[in-house]
Amino acid sequence: MGGGGCLRRRLCLGGTRTLPFVRSYTAREIEAATKGFTAVLEAGGPRGTATAYRARFAGGLVATVRRAAAGSREGDSSSSSSSKAAFYLELQLLARLNHRHVVRLRGFAEGHHARFLVFDHMENRSLKECLHDPLRTPLDWRTRLQVAIDIAAALEYLYYFCDPPVFHVSVDSGNVLMDANFVAKLSDVGVISHDLKLATTESFQDQVEQRRAALVFQYGVLVLELVTGQSPGGEGELVRWVQEPGFAGSMHRMVDADLGGVYDARELRDLVIVARLCTRHGGGGGGEGDGGGGAVISIPQIVRYLQGKVERLGGEARC
């Protein structure tokens, strides 16, 4: 464990529910671990709200440090107090997340001018880099299929198993991170609202349903990117292709050439069908408002369907 001498802080929700420990770092420790904030991994998060740094703490812990979204730092004390309360509530909620395919919160720091979140470090960076960087070894078919299953499972956890489902995440290849073993994990999970009382209202539940539909569409676009190796683009070319009546006849021509023709034809068909169902009522570039009049398939249905297909086909790749 890193950060010698750091205090562990117990976080409680509403003063009644004890949450897992997260480590409290000082701003000086964050600065030292990131080499003075020079070890930049990305200039801004997927939502453009956070800068990420590679950090090595005293004791050997390697982590990713993200600068938290800007809040009130100076001036009005009531505004500053509200900002701090929102930050600690977000910490409490993020600390509750416990899923193999969601990047884990390890700690936090609060300085005079910035706040930071410390997450597990993902050695193989983003899925986007794995798919599109010509210097990287291409992902094989089994890894791509597993990514599709794992991200669906992460979405099911966030939006169906968390109670209340107060978390927000966008699904795209830049937001899916790969660990040392190429296990996929969703990153940049945020909180929909810092007012937990809203979670019991009908308007909030309507928001959740809208987000579920939007996520289904975004997930379908991600699956198309996994299959074709093509960036989704801003004009929806991949979505238009998969919605064409004769899409099945061109599936094999659309497969990523980096696979070298090594993939399972039945699994390919299953994945493309899932993508077709996910994007049937979507429109646009995979933004939060996509999903149109409602999805025809849900995230839990996707998880059960893909897991069942893989179990029946067995673990060995077919050419």
Side-chain angles (χ1 to χ4, degrees):
M1 303 291 288
C6 290
L7 296 175
R8 288 173 177 249
R9 186 171 300 181
R10 180 171 304 210
L11 300 174
C12 298
L13 184 60
T16 60
R17 205 179 305 173
T18 300
L19 296 171
F21 288 114
V22 293
R23 188 174 288 276
S24 174
Y25 294 96
T26 65
R28 182 170 295 180
E29 286 172 318
I30 296 292
E31 184 175 5
T34 59
K35 298 181 179 179
F37 302 105
T38 61
V40 177
L41 290 173
E42 55 188 69
R47 298 199 302 270
T49 58
T51 300
Y53 308 90
R54 187 179 189 275
R56 181 180 291 275
F57 291 94
L61 173 67
V62 177
T64 295
V65 171
R66 290 190 179 273
R67 192 181 294 268
S72 211
R73 299 172 187 168
E74 306 280 349
D76 181 63
S77 59
S78 63
S79 178
S80 178
S81 175
S82 175
S83 172
K84 185 171 183 176
F87 175 68
Y88 277 94
L89 176 58
E90 185 148 6
L91 281 175
Q92 292 165 5
L93 293 171
L94 292 177
R96 296 170 62 189
L97 295 178
N98 182 25
H99 193 275
R100 184 169 184 253
H101 300 294
V102 176
V103 177
R104 176 187 167 202
L105 178 71
R106 299 294 295 268
F108 70 99
E110 185 174 25
H112 293 298
H113 302 290
R115 298 181 178 117
F116 300 93
L117 300 174
V118 181
F119 294 96
D120 278 337
H121 184 63
M122 299 291 106
E123 291 83 348
N124 281 302
R125 306 286 291 272
S126 70
L127 175 63
K128 184 175 183 177
E129 292 176 72
C130 291
L131 289 174
H132 304 300
D133 186 343
L135 301 179
R136 301 282 294 264
T137 301
L139 297 179
D140 63 27
W141 176 253
R142 300 303 298 182
T143 300
R144 297 182 195 216
L145 177 62
Q146 197 62 52
V147 167
I149 295 171
D150 294 344
I151 295 306
L155 292 174
E156 182 183 44
Y157 169 75
L158 289 173
Y159 273 81
Y160 290 87
F161 293 163
C162 289
D163 184 24
V166 295
F167 299 102
H168 163 77
V169 68
S170 294
V171 181
D172 60 65
S173 58
N175 206 26
V176 174
L177 303 185
M178 310 291 283
D179 72 8
N181 298 313
F182 291 95
V183 174
K185 300 175 187 282
L186 271 175
S187 71
D188 200 34
V189 176
V191 175
I192 295 175
S193 171
H194 291 108
D195 183 357
L196 292 184
K197 293 180 181 178
L198 287 177
T200 61
T201 66
E202 287 187 16
S203 62
F204 186 90
Q205 293 304 316
D206 289 342
Q207 276 191 59
V208 171
E209 288 303 318
Q210 291 170 9
R211 289 177 184 276
R212 285 173 174 169
L215 287 172
V216 167
F217 179 86
Q218 293 173 19
Y219 177 81
V221 174
L222 180 74
V223 169
L224 290 174
E225 189 173 355
L226 284 167
V227 167
T228 67
Q230 298 179 31
S231 177
E235 299 182 10
E237 297 94 339
L238 291 178
V239 172
R240 286 200 298 272
W241 162 70
V242 82
Q243 295 302 328
E244 291 174 354
F247 80 99
S250 58
M251 274 195 300
H252 295 283
R253 294 197 301 273
M254 293 293 290
V255 175
D256 189 355
D258 284 344
L259 286 167
V262 180
Y263 59 89
D264 185 287
R266 285 174 290 182
E267 290 172 349
L268 170 66
R269 178 200 62 199
D270 294 336
L271 271 184
V272 174
I273 288 174
V274 166
R276 179 178 169 88
L277 291 173
C278 288
T279 57
R280 177 165 291 175
H281 289 297
E288 217 178 84
D290 293 334
V296 298
I297 189 172
S298 70
I299 293 294
Q301 288 172 329
I302 293 168
V303 174
R304 304 290 93 77
Y305 177 77
L306 289 180
Q307 286 179 339
K309 292 292 183 181
V310 171
E311 288 168 3
R312 284 196 292 273
L313 290 170
E316 295 299 319
R318 295 173 176 83
C319 298

